[in-house]
PDB file of all heavy atoms in Angstrom:
ATOM      1  N   ILE A 182      50.346  -3.668 -41.435  1.00  0.00           N
ATOM      2  CA  ILE A 182      49.273  -2.709 -41.225  1.00  0.00           C
ATOM      3  C   ILE A 182      49.924  -1.468 -40.631  1.00  0.00           C
ATOM      4  O   ILE A 182      50.518  -1.542 -39.568  1.00  0.00           O
ATOM      5  CB  ILE A 182      48.188  -3.251 -40.256  1.00  0.00           C
ATOM      6  CG1 ILE A 182      47.549  -4.503 -40.831  1.00  0.00           C
ATOM      7  CG2 ILE A 182      47.167  -2.168 -39.954  1.00  0.00           C
ATOM      8  CD1 ILE A 182      46.663  -5.240 -39.821  1.00  0.00           C
ATOM      9  N   GLN A 183      49.836  -0.344 -41.351  1.00  0.00           N
ATOM     10  CA  GLN A 183      50.458   0.874 -40.887  1.00  0.00           C
ATOM     11  C   GLN A 183      49.408   1.738 -40.181  1.00  0.00           C
ATOM     12  O   GLN A 183      48.436   2.186 -40.795  1.00  0.00           O
ATOM     13  CB  GLN A 183      51.081   1.650 -42.035  1.00  0.00           C
ATOM     14  CG  GLN A 183      51.818   2.873 -41.578  1.00  0.00           C
ATOM     15  CD  GLN A 183      52.466   3.634 -42.721  1.00  0.00           C
ATOM     16  OE1 GLN A 183      52.376   3.252 -43.871  1.00  0.00           O
ATOM     17  NE2 GLN A 183      53.125   4.702 -42.390  1.00  0.00           N
ATOM     18  N   LEU A 184      49.615   1.943 -38.887  1.00  0.00           N
ATOM     19  CA  LEU A 184      48.710   2.782 -38.103  1.00  0.00           C
ATOM     20  C   LEU A 184      48.876   4.244 -38.487  1.00  0.00           C
ATOM     21  O   LEU A 184      49.899   4.632 -39.036  1.00  0.00           O
ATOM     22  CB  LEU A 184      48.965   2.614 -36.608  1.00  0.00           C
ATOM     23  CG  LEU A 184      48.652   1.233 -36.027  1.00  0.00           C
ATOM     24  CD1 LEU A 184      49.004   1.221 -34.549  1.00  0.00           C
ATOM     25  CD2 LEU A 184      47.189   0.906 -36.209  1.00  0.00           C
ATOM     26  N   GLN A 185      47.868   5.038 -38.190  1.00  0.00           N
ATOM     27  CA  GLN A 185      47.913   6.485 -38.397  1.00  0.00           C
ATOM     28  C   GLN A 185      47.399   7.151 -37.130  1.00  0.00           C
ATOM     29  O   GLN A 185      46.843   6.498 -36.256  1.00  0.00           O
ATOM     30  CB  GLN A 185      47.082   6.871 -39.633  1.00  0.00           C
ATOM     31  CG  GLN A 185      47.665   6.270 -40.915  1.00  0.00           C
ATOM     32  CD  GLN A 185      46.832   6.618 -42.146  1.00  0.00           C
ATOM     33  OE1 GLN A 185      46.111   7.594 -42.183  1.00  0.00           O
ATOM     34  NE2 GLN A 185      46.978   5.798 -43.171  1.00  0.00           N
ATOM     35  N   ASN A 186      47.556   8.457 -37.041  1.00  0.00           N
ATOM     36  CA  ASN A 186      47.164   9.208 -35.848  1.00  0.00           C
ATOM     37  C   ASN A 186      45.669   9.111 -35.604  1.00  0.00           C
ATOM     38  O   ASN A 186      44.877   8.990 -36.537  1.00  0.00           O
ATOM     39  CB  ASN A 186      47.535  10.683 -35.986  1.00  0.00           C
ATOM     40  CG  ASN A 186      49.024  10.884 -36.002  1.00  0.00           C
ATOM     41  OD1 ASN A 186      49.793  10.154 -35.374  1.00  0.00           O
ATOM     42  ND2 ASN A 186      49.469  11.898 -36.730  1.00  0.00           N
ATOM     43  N   ASN A 187      45.292   9.174 -34.324  1.00  0.00           N
ATOM     44  CA  ASN A 187      43.893   9.261 -33.888  1.00  0.00           C
ATOM     45  C   ASN A 187      43.071   8.016 -34.247  1.00  0.00           C
ATOM     46  O   ASN A 187      41.880   8.118 -34.538  1.00  0.00           O
ATOM     47  CB  ASN A 187      43.226  10.512 -34.456  1.00  0.00           C
ATOM     48  CG  ASN A 187      43.982  11.757 -34.112  1.00  0.00           C
ATOM     49  OD1 ASN A 187      44.297  11.992 -32.952  1.00  0.00           O
ATOM     50  ND2 ASN A 187      44.310  12.551 -35.101  1.00  0.00           N
ATOM     51  N   ILE A 188      43.691   6.858 -34.198  1.00  0.00           N
ATOM     52  CA  ILE A 188      43.039   5.604 -34.574  1.00  0.00           C
ATOM     53  C   ILE A 188      43.023   4.661 -33.379  1.00  0.00           C
ATOM     54  O   ILE A 188      44.032   4.469 -32.708  1.00  0.00           O
ATOM     55  CB  ILE A 188      43.795   4.892 -35.729  1.00  0.00           C
ATOM     56  CG1 ILE A 188      43.902   5.770 -36.958  1.00  0.00           C
ATOM     57  CG2 ILE A 188      43.183   3.537 -36.059  1.00  0.00           C
ATOM     58  CD1 ILE A 188      42.630   5.991 -37.710  1.00  0.00           C
ATOM     59  N   THR A 189      41.858   4.031 -33.164  1.00  0.00           N
ATOM     60  CA  THR A 189      41.754   2.926 -32.217  1.00  0.00           C
ATOM     61  C   THR A 189      41.345   1.691 -33.012  1.00  0.00           C
ATOM     62  O   THR A 189      40.367   1.721 -33.739  1.00  0.00           O
ATOM     63  CB  THR A 189      40.685   3.215 -31.135  1.00  0.00           C
ATOM     64  OG1 THR A 189      41.085   4.369 -30.395  1.00  0.00           O
ATOM     65  CG2 THR A 189      40.519   2.040 -30.194  1.00  0.00           C
ATOM     66  N   LEU A 190      42.140   0.624 -32.909  1.00  0.00           N
ATOM     67  CA  LEU A 190      41.743  -0.652 -33.487  1.00  0.00           C
ATOM     68  C   LEU A 190      40.923  -1.368 -32.433  1.00  0.00           C
ATOM     69  O   LEU A 190      41.406  -1.593 -31.319  1.00  0.00           O
ATOM     70  CB  LEU A 190      42.964  -1.501 -33.847  1.00  0.00           C
ATOM     71  CG  LEU A 190      43.959  -0.925 -34.855  1.00  0.00           C
ATOM     72  CD1 LEU A 190      45.068  -1.945 -35.120  1.00  0.00           C
ATOM     73  CD2 LEU A 190      43.276  -0.514 -36.133  1.00  0.00           C
ATOM     74  N   HIS A 191      39.677  -1.726 -32.763  1.00  0.00           N
ATOM     75  CA  HIS A 191      38.838  -2.477 -31.839  1.00  0.00           C
ATOM     76  C   HIS A 191      38.696  -3.884 -32.414  1.00  0.00           C
ATOM     77  O   HIS A 191      37.987  -4.102 -33.392  1.00  0.00           O
ATOM     78  CB  HIS A 191      37.463  -1.820 -31.696  1.00  0.00           C
ATOM     79  CG  HIS A 191      36.576  -2.542 -30.748  1.00  0.00           C
ATOM     80  ND1 HIS A 191      35.488  -1.958 -30.180  1.00  0.00           N
ATOM     81  CD2 HIS A 191      36.607  -3.796 -30.226  1.00  0.00           C
ATOM     82  CE1 HIS A 191      34.881  -2.823 -29.384  1.00  0.00           C
ATOM     83  NE2 HIS A 191      35.550  -3.953 -29.403  1.00  0.00           N
ATOM     84  N   ILE A 192      39.374  -4.825 -31.773  1.00  0.00           N
ATOM     85  CA  ILE A 192      39.365  -6.229 -32.197  1.00  0.00           C
ATOM     86  C   ILE A 192      38.347  -6.932 -31.308  1.00  0.00           C
ATOM     87  O   ILE A 192      38.605  -7.226 -30.153  1.00  0.00           O
ATOM     88  CB  ILE A 192      40.769  -6.855 -32.073  1.00  0.00           C
ATOM     89  CG1 ILE A 192      41.805  -5.980 -32.792  1.00  0.00           C
ATOM     90  CG2 ILE A 192      40.772  -8.259 -32.649  1.00  0.00           C
ATOM     91  CD1 ILE A 192      43.230  -6.322 -32.455  1.00  0.00           C
ATOM     92  N   ASP A 193      37.177  -7.190 -31.861  1.00  0.00           N
ATOM     93  CA  ASP A 193      36.053  -7.727 -31.084  1.00  0.00           C
ATOM     94  C   ASP A 193      36.285  -9.186 -30.712  1.00  0.00           C
ATOM     95  O   ASP A 193      37.135  -9.867 -31.303  1.00  0.00           O
ATOM     96  CB  ASP A 193      34.754  -7.578 -31.875  1.00  0.00           C
ATOM     97  CG  ASP A 193      33.541  -7.439 -30.976  1.00  0.00           C
ATOM     98  OD1 ASP A 193      33.656  -7.581 -29.746  1.00  0.00           O
ATOM     99  OD2 ASP A 193      32.450  -7.191 -31.524  1.00  0.00           O
ATOM    100  N   ARG A 194      35.512  -9.652 -29.773  1.00  0.00           N
ATOM    101  CA  ARG A 194      35.571 -11.058 -29.347  1.00  0.00           C
ATOM    102  C   ARG A 194      35.360 -11.949 -30.566  1.00  0.00           C
ATOM    103  O   ARG A 194      34.468 -11.714 -31.360  1.00  0.00           O
ATOM    104  CB  ARG A 194      34.473 -11.322 -28.317  1.00  0.00           C
ATOM    105  CG  ARG A 194      34.571 -12.703 -27.681  1.00  0.00           C
ATOM    106  CD  ARG A 194      33.546 -12.893 -26.594  1.00  0.00           C
ATOM    107  NE  ARG A 194      33.482 -11.826 -25.599  1.00  0.00           N
ATOM    108  CZ  ARG A 194      34.345 -11.709 -24.566  1.00  0.00           C
ATOM    109  NH1 ARG A 194      35.320 -12.559 -24.418  1.00  0.00           N
ATOM    110  NH2 ARG A 194      34.208 -10.708 -23.696  1.00  0.00           N
ATOM    111  N   GLY A 195      36.228 -12.919 -30.731  1.00  0.00           N
ATOM    112  CA  GLY A 195      36.143 -13.841 -31.865  1.00  0.00           C
ATOM    113  C   GLY A 195      36.872 -13.340 -33.107  1.00  0.00           C
ATOM    114  O   GLY A 195      36.919 -14.042 -34.116  1.00  0.00           O
ATOM    115  N   ALA A 196      37.448 -12.155 -33.051  1.00  0.00           N
ATOM    116  CA  ALA A 196      38.220 -11.616 -34.180  1.00  0.00           C
ATOM    117  C   ALA A 196      39.699 -11.901 -33.954  1.00  0.00           C
ATOM    118  O   ALA A 196      40.190 -11.814 -32.840  1.00  0.00           O
ATOM    119  CB  ALA A 196      37.987 -10.119 -34.325  1.00  0.00           C
ATOM    120  N   VAL A 197      40.391 -12.276 -35.026  1.00  0.00           N
ATOM    121  CA  VAL A 197      41.823 -12.563 -34.970  1.00  0.00           C
ATOM    122  C   VAL A 197      42.508 -11.842 -36.116  1.00  0.00           C
ATOM    123  O   VAL A 197      42.111 -12.026 -37.278  1.00  0.00           O
ATOM    124  CB  VAL A 197      42.108 -14.083 -35.079  1.00  0.00           C
ATOM    125  CG1 VAL A 197      43.615 -14.356 -35.067  1.00  0.00           C
ATOM    126  CG2 VAL A 197      41.413 -14.851 -33.980  1.00  0.00           C
ATOM    127  N   ILE A 198      43.513 -11.022 -35.801  1.00  0.00           N
ATOM    128  CA  ILE A 198      44.390 -10.475 -36.830  1.00  0.00           C
ATOM    129  C   ILE A 198      45.552 -11.468 -36.894  1.00  0.00           C
ATOM    130  O   ILE A 198      46.311 -11.615 -35.939  1.00  0.00           O
ATOM    131  CB  ILE A 198      44.903  -9.069 -36.467  1.00  0.00           C
ATOM    132  CG1 ILE A 198      43.717  -8.089 -36.427  1.00  0.00           C
ATOM    133  CG2 ILE A 198      45.949  -8.608 -37.470  1.00  0.00           C
ATOM    134  CD1 ILE A 198      44.105  -6.702 -35.967  1.00  0.00           C
ATOM    135  N   LYS A 199      45.645 -12.174 -38.014  1.00  0.00           N
ATOM    136  CA  LYS A 199      46.621 -13.261 -38.155  1.00  0.00           C
ATOM    137  C   LYS A 199      47.734 -12.872 -39.114  1.00  0.00           C
ATOM    138  O   LYS A 199      47.460 -12.501 -40.255  1.00  0.00           O
ATOM    139  CB  LYS A 199      45.937 -14.536 -38.636  1.00  0.00           C
ATOM    140  CG  LYS A 199      46.870 -15.712 -38.709  1.00  0.00           C
ATOM    141  CD  LYS A 199      46.143 -16.978 -39.062  1.00  0.00           C
ATOM    142  CE  LYS A 199      47.160 -18.102 -39.129  1.00  0.00           C
ATOM    143  NZ  LYS A 199      46.588 -19.390 -38.874  1.00  0.00           N
ATOM    144  N   ALA A 200      48.980 -12.958 -38.656  1.00  0.00           N
ATOM    145  CA  ALA A 200      50.133 -12.636 -39.501  1.00  0.00           C
ATOM    146  C   ALA A 200      50.244 -13.657 -40.629  1.00  0.00           C
ATOM    147  O   ALA A 200      50.213 -14.852 -40.394  1.00  0.00           O
ATOM    148  CB  ALA A 200      51.402 -12.632 -38.660  1.00  0.00           C
ATOM    149  N   ALA A 201      50.375 -13.140 -41.832  1.00  0.00           N
ATOM    150  CA  ALA A 201      50.570 -14.000 -43.013  1.00  0.00           C
ATOM    151  C   ALA A 201      51.970 -14.609 -42.958  1.00  0.00           C
ATOM    152  O   ALA A 201      52.895 -14.001 -42.406  1.00  0.00           O
ATOM    153  CB  ALA A 201      50.408 -13.183 -44.282  1.00  0.00           C
ATOM    154  N   PRO A 202      52.137 -15.785 -43.523  1.00  0.00           N
ATOM    155  CA  PRO A 202      53.478 -16.390 -43.572  1.00  0.00           C
ATOM    156  C   PRO A 202      54.442 -15.512 -44.374  1.00  0.00           C
ATOM    157  O   PRO A 202      54.039 -14.855 -45.321  1.00  0.00           O
ATOM    158  CB  PRO A 202      53.260 -17.726 -44.282  1.00  0.00           C
ATOM    159  CG  PRO A 202      51.790 -17.944 -44.342  1.00  0.00           C
ATOM    160  CD  PRO A 202      51.119 -16.624 -44.161  1.00  0.00           C
ATOM    161  N   ASN A 203      55.702 -15.506 -43.989  1.00  0.00           N
ATOM    162  CA  ASN A 203      56.723 -14.704 -44.698  1.00  0.00           C
ATOM    163  C   ASN A 203      56.767 -15.032 -46.182  1.00  0.00           C
ATOM    164  O   ASN A 203      57.063 -14.149 -46.994  1.00  0.00           O
ATOM    165  CB  ASN A 203      58.105 -14.934 -44.083  1.00  0.00           C
ATOM    166  CG  ASN A 203      58.319 -14.126 -42.842  1.00  0.00           C
ATOM    167  OD1 ASN A 203      57.423 -13.421 -42.370  1.00  0.00           O
ATOM    168  ND2 ASN A 203      59.516 -14.208 -42.290  1.00  0.00           N
ATOM    169  N   GLU A 204      56.469 -16.246 -46.537  1.00  0.00           N
ATOM    170  CA  GLU A 204      56.543 -16.659 -47.954  1.00  0.00           C
ATOM    171  C   GLU A 204      55.588 -15.842 -48.832  1.00  0.00           C
ATOM    172  O   GLU A 204      55.787 -15.754 -50.039  1.00  0.00           O
ATOM    173  CB  GLU A 204      56.201 -18.156 -48.095  1.00  0.00           C
ATOM    174  CG  GLU A 204      57.174 -19.088 -47.427  1.00  0.00           C
ATOM    175  CD  GLU A 204      56.981 -19.179 -45.912  1.00  0.00           C
ATOM    176  OE1 GLU A 204      55.838 -19.208 -45.424  1.00  0.00           O
ATOM    177  OE2 GLU A 204      58.003 -19.207 -45.196  1.00  0.00           O
ATOM    178  N   MET A 205      54.561 -15.256 -48.244  1.00  0.00           N
ATOM    179  CA  MET A 205      53.621 -14.440 -49.033  1.00  0.00           C
ATOM    180  C   MET A 205      54.229 -13.097 -49.407  1.00  0.00           C
ATOM    181  O   MET A 205      53.710 -12.420 -50.283  1.00  0.00           O
ATOM    182  CB  MET A 205      52.316 -14.233 -48.252  1.00  0.00           C
ATOM    183  CG  MET A 205      51.479 -15.485 -48.140  1.00  0.00           C
ATOM    184  SD  MET A 205      49.911 -15.192 -47.306  1.00  0.00           S
ATOM    185  CE  MET A 205      48.984 -14.344 -48.601  1.00  0.00           C
ATOM    186  N   LYS A 206      55.323 -12.696 -48.746  1.00  0.00           N
ATOM    187  CA  LYS A 206      56.019 -11.433 -49.021  1.00  0.00           C
ATOM    188  C   LYS A 206      55.069 -10.231 -49.012  1.00  0.00           C
ATOM    189  O   LYS A 206      55.009  -9.456 -49.962  1.00  0.00           O
ATOM    190  CB  LYS A 206      56.792 -11.525 -50.341  1.00  0.00           C
ATOM    191  CG  LYS A 206      57.848 -12.615 -50.330  1.00  0.00           C
ATOM    192  CD  LYS A 206      58.765 -12.515 -51.510  1.00  0.00           C
ATOM    193  CE  LYS A 206      59.766 -13.628 -51.549  1.00  0.00           C
ATOM    194  NZ  LYS A 206      60.618 -13.786 -50.415  1.00  0.00           N
ATOM    195  N   VAL A 207      54.319 -10.083 -47.912  1.00  0.00           N
ATOM    196  CA  VAL A 207      53.334  -9.008 -47.799  1.00  0.00           C
ATOM    197  C   VAL A 207      53.650  -8.035 -46.653  1.00  0.00           C
ATOM    198  O   VAL A 207      52.798  -7.255 -46.262  1.00  0.00           O
ATOM    199  CB  VAL A 207      51.911  -9.579 -47.619  1.00  0.00           C
ATOM    200  CG1 VAL A 207      51.445 -10.260 -48.898  1.00  0.00           C
ATOM    201  CG2 VAL A 207      51.832 -10.546 -46.445  1.00  0.00           C
ATOM    202  N   TYR A 208      54.897  -8.063 -46.199  1.00  0.00           N
ATOM    203  CA  TYR A 208      55.308  -7.131 -45.153  1.00  0.00           C
ATOM    204  C   TYR A 208      56.080  -5.990 -45.794  1.00  0.00           C
ATOM    205  O   TYR A 208      56.794  -6.178 -46.795  1.00  0.00           O
ATOM    206  CB  TYR A 208      56.150  -7.838 -44.087  1.00  0.00           C
ATOM    207  CG  TYR A 208      55.320  -8.867 -43.369  1.00  0.00           C
ATOM    208  CD1 TYR A 208      55.380 -10.209 -43.701  1.00  0.00           C
ATOM    209  CD2 TYR A 208      54.423  -8.462 -42.388  1.00  0.00           C
ATOM    210  CE1 TYR A 208      54.571 -11.138 -43.065  1.00  0.00           C
ATOM    211  CE2 TYR A 208      53.596  -9.388 -41.743  1.00  0.00           C
ATOM    212  CZ  TYR A 208      53.681 -10.716 -42.102  1.00  0.00           C
ATOM    213  OH  TYR A 208      52.881 -11.628 -41.491  1.00  0.00           O
ATOM    214  N   ASP A 209      55.907  -4.783 -45.260  1.00  0.00           N
ATOM    215  CA  ASP A 209      56.594  -3.619 -45.819  1.00  0.00           C
ATOM    216  C   ASP A 209      58.087  -3.843 -45.830  1.00  0.00           C
ATOM    217  O   ASP A 209      58.650  -4.506 -44.949  1.00  0.00           O
ATOM    218  CB  ASP A 209      56.251  -2.363 -44.997  1.00  0.00           C
ATOM    219  CG  ASP A 209      54.787  -1.963 -45.150  1.00  0.00           C
ATOM    220  OD1 ASP A 209      54.130  -2.418 -46.099  1.00  0.00           O
ATOM    221  OD2 ASP A 209      54.312  -1.197 -44.295  1.00  0.00           O
ATOM    222  N   ILE A 210      58.738  -3.272 -46.817  1.00  0.00           N
ATOM    223  CA  ILE A 210      60.182  -3.425 -46.969  1.00  0.00           C
ATOM    224  C   ILE A 210      60.883  -2.582 -45.909  1.00  0.00           C
ATOM    225  O   ILE A 210      60.529  -1.429 -45.696  1.00  0.00           O
ATOM    226  CB  ILE A 210      60.610  -2.976 -48.383  1.00  0.00           C
ATOM    227  CG1 ILE A 210      59.961  -3.894 -49.437  1.00  0.00           C
ATOM    228  CG2 ILE A 210      62.132  -2.979 -48.533  1.00  0.00           C
ATOM    229  CD1 ILE A 210      60.097  -3.399 -50.840  1.00  0.00           C
ATOM    230  N   PRO A 211      61.877  -3.149 -45.244  1.00  0.00           N
ATOM    231  CA  PRO A 211      62.594  -2.387 -44.236  1.00  0.00           C
ATOM    232  C   PRO A 211      63.278  -1.168 -44.848  1.00  0.00           C
ATOM    233  O   PRO A 211      63.813  -1.234 -45.940  1.00  0.00           O
ATOM    234  CB  PRO A 211      63.654  -3.362 -43.693  1.00  0.00           C
ATOM    235  CG  PRO A 211      63.262  -4.695 -44.177  1.00  0.00           C
ATOM    236  CD  PRO A 211      62.402  -4.509 -45.380  1.00  0.00           C
ATOM    237  N   ALA A 212      63.250  -0.042 -44.149  1.00  0.00           N
ATOM    238  CA  ALA A 212      63.911   1.165 -44.623  1.00  0.00           C
ATOM    239  C   ALA A 212      65.416   1.036 -44.416  1.00  0.00           C
ATOM    240  O   ALA A 212      65.880   0.343 -43.506  1.00  0.00           O
ATOM    241  CB  ALA A 212      63.388   2.370 -43.848  1.00  0.00           C
ATOM    242  N   GLU A 213      66.169   1.691 -45.288  1.00  0.00           N
ATOM    243  CA  GLU A 213      67.627   1.732 -45.121  1.00  0.00           C
ATOM    244  C   GLU A 213      67.937   2.523 -43.847  1.00  0.00           C
ATOM    245  O   GLU A 213      67.247   3.493 -43.520  1.00  0.00           O
ATOM    246  CB  GLU A 213      68.272   2.436 -46.311  1.00  0.00           C
ATOM    247  CG  GLU A 213      68.185   1.642 -47.610  1.00  0.00           C
ATOM    248  CD  GLU A 213      69.094   0.445 -47.616  1.00  0.00           C
ATOM    249  OE1 GLU A 213      70.212   0.507 -47.037  1.00  0.00           O
ATOM    250  OE2 GLU A 213      68.707  -0.581 -48.204  1.00  0.00           O
ATOM    251  N   ASN A 214      68.953   2.099 -43.120  1.00  0.00           N
ATOM    252  CA  ASN A 214      69.401   2.890 -41.987  1.00  0.00           C
ATOM    253  C   ASN A 214      70.889   2.638 -41.732  1.00  0.00           C
ATOM    254  O   ASN A 214      71.441   1.651 -42.229  1.00  0.00           O
ATOM    255  CB  ASN A 214      68.565   2.653 -40.739  1.00  0.00           C
ATOM    256  CG  ASN A 214      68.742   1.286 -40.145  1.00  0.00           C
ATOM    257  OD1 ASN A 214      69.848   0.912 -39.780  1.00  0.00           O
ATOM    258  ND2 ASN A 214      67.672   0.528 -40.040  1.00  0.00           N
ATOM    259  N   ALA A 215      71.492   3.523 -40.982  1.00  0.00           N
ATOM    260  CA  ALA A 215      72.943   3.499 -40.786  1.00  0.00           C
ATOM    261  C   ALA A 215      73.435   2.298 -39.982  1.00  0.00           C
ATOM    262  O   ALA A 215      74.605   1.979 -40.000  1.00  0.00           O
ATOM    263  CB  ALA A 215      73.368   4.786 -40.069  1.00  0.00           C
TER     264      ALA A 215
END
């Protein structure tokens, strides 16, 4: 989940943001760096 400026995430009581297993391959690709 890529945040942007001026955003508040409000995770209400009983709400869970759950990370998907790596096997689903749904995470952004790491950028190249030195």
Side-chain angles (χ1 to χ4, degrees):
I182 298 170
Q183 184 178 0
L184 294 178
Q185 296 179 23
N186 293 328
N187 305 309
I188 302 289
T189 297
L190 300 182
H191 181 161
I192 308 166
D193 209 354
R194 188 175 310 280
V197 178
I198 296 175
K199 183 174 180 155
N203 279 4
E204 296 78 40
M205 289 183 75
K206 299 191 183 302
V207 291
Y208 295 99
D209 292 342
I210 297 169
E213 291 288 325
N214 69 59

